[in-house]
Amino acid sequence: MALKHEPTAPYHSAQDALRVLETVSRHSTGVTDTELARQTRLDAERLTALLRMLRREGYVEQIADGAYVTGAALSRLGSAHGRDQALREKLQQTIDRLRDSVGAAIYISRYVDGEIHVTQCATGPATPAVNEWVDFRSSAHASAIGKSLLGQLDHNGRRDHLSRHKMARLTSRTITNERLLLSRLDAHPATVPVLDLQEYAIGTVCAAVPITAGSSVGCLALSLPVEHAHRLRQAADSLNRGAAPVLLSLAI
């Protein structure tokens, strides 16, 4: 399976954050922000934002003299023993925080062996999960999750998926024409969130952004009841900004 690669803003943020982490890791007794700026060649404003994110996620800590050292979360993810569990817990913390800040249910999904898998979600009384009335694996053509994942595959990968999953009409808004869907996927920039405006289910709107790490295709998504549809684009932008910590956790 070949992938389409068009780096997004969260991807660049995660890459820059990794540079900062690698630099901090080389200084066991701590490193100042001035020295970090010199070694990473990041401007002060960019570095400050990255350090704020890294501290919030527990990847770096600030010691008494103001210097930065590696944090407990980095140690847990960097350990071969129990890494999968540590990663799952870290991702859950991150999407729980996103759920609360965005005010929407949040999902992490991956495309594995030709199928869609929702691997983690963060929901609550005020942020209910979408009613999965049709298996997400069979409805990639209609859902934001599915369209985001398909959008990261090459043309042959998309055709292969659609050949195995009939494009059923789930609502009056669902695209069921393969040529139309493929042309829209081709035209959609990777840097812009994919939206689902009641194409999968009446009463729910969704958005998704890619979180591709290496050869692994994934996406971060949200869902809102249709009465909150006026918040969708703003929520999607917040989701896009919140994707960097997820990408970073997957890359460590």
Side-chain angles (χ1 to χ4, degrees):
M1 176 182 63
L3 309 182
K4 292 177 63 182
H5 282 286
E6 184 177 341
T8 60
Y11 175 85
H12 288 304
S13 293
Q15 290 298 103
D16 287 346
L18 278 174
R19 285 166 56 196
V20 175
L21 274 181
E22 288 165 358
T23 306
V24 172
S25 297
R26 291 197 299 268
H27 296 78
S28 58
T29 59
V31 58
T32 64
D33 51 1
T34 302
E35 186 61 19
L36 280 170
R38 187 185 71 79
Q39 293 191 29
T40 60
R41 298 180 181 177
L42 293 167
D43 65 65
E45 184 178 358
R46 176 75 165 163
L47 180 60
T48 297
L50 290 170
L51 286 170
R52 187 184 305 120
M53 184 262 281
L54 290 170
R55 287 180 66 188
R56 185 182 68 237
E57 296 295 324
Y59 292 130
V60 302
E61 297 171 3
Q62 208 167 8
I63 54 180
D65 63 358
Y68 291 90
V69 295
T70 56
L74 184 63
S75 299
R76 285 194 294 272
L77 284 186
S79 170
H81 177 69
R83 185 188 184 280
D84 288 348
Q85 181 63 27
L87 176 59
R88 186 171 182 81
E89 290 172 357
K90 188 73 193 73
L91 290 173
Q92 193 63 47
Q93 291 172 4
T94 301
I95 63 175
D96 283 349
R97 187 162 50 239
L98 262 177
R99 173 200 61 204
D100 296 340
S101 64
V102 176
I106 305 292
Y107 312 81
I108 295 177
S109 300
R110 296 179 63 211
Y111 195 78
V112 181
D113 296 331
E115 298 296 348
I116 290 169
H117 299 269
V118 177
T119 55
Q120 286 178 252
C121 64
T123 62
T127 53
V130 63
N131 174 30
E132 190 179 349
W133 74 286
V134 175
D135 193 319
F136 283 134
R137 290 175 297 182
S138 305
S139 54
H141 63 292
S143 69
I145 284 173
K147 288 186 287 184
S148 178
L149 294 174
L150 290 179
Q152 296 173 64
L153 306 181
D154 65 6
H155 185 75
N156 289 337
R158 296 171 186 170
R159 291 288 301 273
D160 172 71
H161 184 92
L162 295 174
S163 72
R164 292 182 285 108
H165 295 283
K166 178 177 169 56
M167 294 176 61
R169 184 174 300 282
L170 306 183
T171 78
S172 62
R173 296 171 177 262
T174 306
I175 296 173
T176 56
N177 181 287
E178 182 176 311
R179 182 177 296 178
L180 176 59
L181 177 66
L182 291 173
S183 69
R184 289 195 179 180
L185 290 174
D186 273 333
H188 194 90
T191 52
V192 177
V194 176
L195 303 182
D196 159 17
L197 305 175
Q198 300 189 88
E199 296 164 59
Y200 171 76
I202 296 298
T204 303
V205 294
C206 306
V209 297
I211 50 169
T212 301
S215 61
S216 174
V217 172
C219 76
L220 188 66
L222 66 80
S223 66
L224 288 167
V226 71
E227 55 265 30
H228 292 281
H230 61 283
R231 293 201 295 115
L232 181 62
R233 291 189 184 277
Q234 182 178 359
D237 289 340
S238 297
L239 183 77
N240 204 18
R241 290 192 297 272
V246 176
L247 269 167
L248 181 60
S249 297
L250 293 170
I252 289 174

